[in-house]
Amino acid sequence: MPLRNPSSAAATESPDSDQIDIAIIGAGVMGAATAYWLKRIDPAISVAVIERDYSFCQASSTLSASSIRQQFSCPVNIQLSQFGIQFLRSASDYLSCEGESIDLGLTEPGYLYLASAKQEPSLRAAWELQSQLGASIALLSAAEITKQFPWLNTDGIALGALGLTGEGWFDGPALHQAFLKKALSLGVMKIQGEVRAIHCESGNSGQRFANAVHLADGREVLFAGDIATMAASWLELRARSRLTGPLPPSYRSGMPDSCQRRCISTKAGSRGIGGVSVMENLCTDECTKRFNSICTNPLNKSIREPLNNIHPV
């Protein structure tokens, strides 16, 4: 059953101040998920989400590539992703409102991380940790990588790590809308407005407490508990370039952060996503050259020609 877009539901214009325990600024996927979990854990608390644009056309929730992986070097990240993949696989159990099926288009072809000889020890150490925590990751030699991904240029590659399950991508906007719809069904209040200021008062211990937000249209939203800011929650990101462009239907590939490179292959999907670590003063042309270098001659024409349409995002 297709999801009804909860963004079209009427927003609460004048919430009673004594009914709000927690105000969440930003109703994107993080704000909606926070509201959902708060109400799931304690149905008695009152929660409101405040969002300036319920079309979410410029939100990271809408623009995100929406992928998931188990290949991290921090145990907490691995365990969070293990919970995340189980949640995505069972989304209907968590987020269905009236018995409808939640189809997130989850696809699990795996991530392939590639390492040079210098990076090989780090990749092996990460693999050992991931395996200890139950992640299903296979180490591949350069020859095995070439056999499985004949289109991939493995020059200088000593080792690869391929996720066998629990890694891939999903429909991020669908997940966002499901979270928001479920949160609203649990009684979360929806307020439309742009927050311009947060009012704080000092408590007896000298600490400052936020107890109201001021909206751009002059309204004031009071609350008795806490405030969570989910707007622009990317915080400070290291600058890097992402290149996108149409690729043949059989391929979706990417290049990662830092020094490693990853490529993902699937039989579904019609666009490619690539990212390269951006160094100072590195121009877009150089990024495109790096992206081109992952492809070898057998698919030269079918893959490289569409790269003419690549643009930085």
Side-chain angles (χ1 to χ4, degrees), residues 82-289:
Q82 288 173 329
F83 170 77
I85 193 65
Q86 293 302 325
F87 184 94
L88 293 176
R89 290 169 178 167
S90 308
S92 295
D93 296 337
Y94 289 96
L95 301 179
S96 177
C97 296
E98 300 174 354
E100 74 274 21
S101 175
I102 309 296
D103 182 8
L104 300 180
L106 178 63
T107 306
E108 301 181 43
Y111 272 54
L112 174 61
Y113 272 86
L114 306 177
S116 65
K118 183 178 179 180
Q119 296 164 335
E120 181 178 349
S122 296
L123 189 61
R124 286 188 180 277
W127 172 80
E128 289 177 2
L129 174 62
Q130 294 151 10
S131 298
Q132 289 170 7
L133 292 174
S136 182
I137 313 295
L139 288 182
L140 303 178
S141 66
E144 290 170 324
I145 294 170
T146 298
K147 183 177 179 180
Q148 192 160 346
F149 304 97
W151 53 273
L152 182 64
N153 182 351
T154 58
D155 291 348
I157 299 301
L159 188 69
L162 176 65
L164 302 180
T165 62
E167 296 189 329
W169 53 87
F170 54 93
D171 187 338
L175 176 64
H176 172 212
Q177 295 297 333
F179 263 126
L180 186 54
K181 180 181 179 181
K182 183 65 174 181
L184 295 178
S185 75
L186 295 175
V188 171
M189 286 176 278
K190 174 182 175 182
I191 301 172
Q192 183 154 11
E194 182 175 358
V195 174
R196 286 294 178 87
I198 300 174
H199 182 266
C200 299
E201 290 185 354
S202 297
N204 295 331
S205 62
Q207 292 180 311
R208 301 191 72 198
F209 298 91
N211 61 3
V213 293
H214 300 272
L215 305 183
D217 60 7
R219 286 177 297 158
E220 184 179 62
V221 180
L222 305 177
F223 53 94
D226 299 302
I227 185 168
T229 303
M230 299 298 169
S233 55
W234 287 357
L235 299 180
E236 185 177 339
L237 297 179
R238 284 186 67 183
R240 67 176 184 175
S241 174
R242 173 171 290 173
L243 307 176
T244 66
L247 287 184
S250 300
Y251 297 94
R252 171 182 173 133
S253 39
M255 293 185 66
D257 355 8
S258 187
C259 299
Q260 296 177 332
R261 294 181 291 173
R262 69 172 180 248
C263 294
I264 310 170
S265 174
T266 177
K267 295 294 183 181
S270 58
R271 294 188 64 81
I273 298 177
V276 295
S277 177
V278 172
M279 305 164 83
E280 253 180 79
N281 303 320
L282 185 63
C283 65
T284 301
D285 287 344
E286 182 60 28
C287 290
T288 303
K289 289 178 183 177

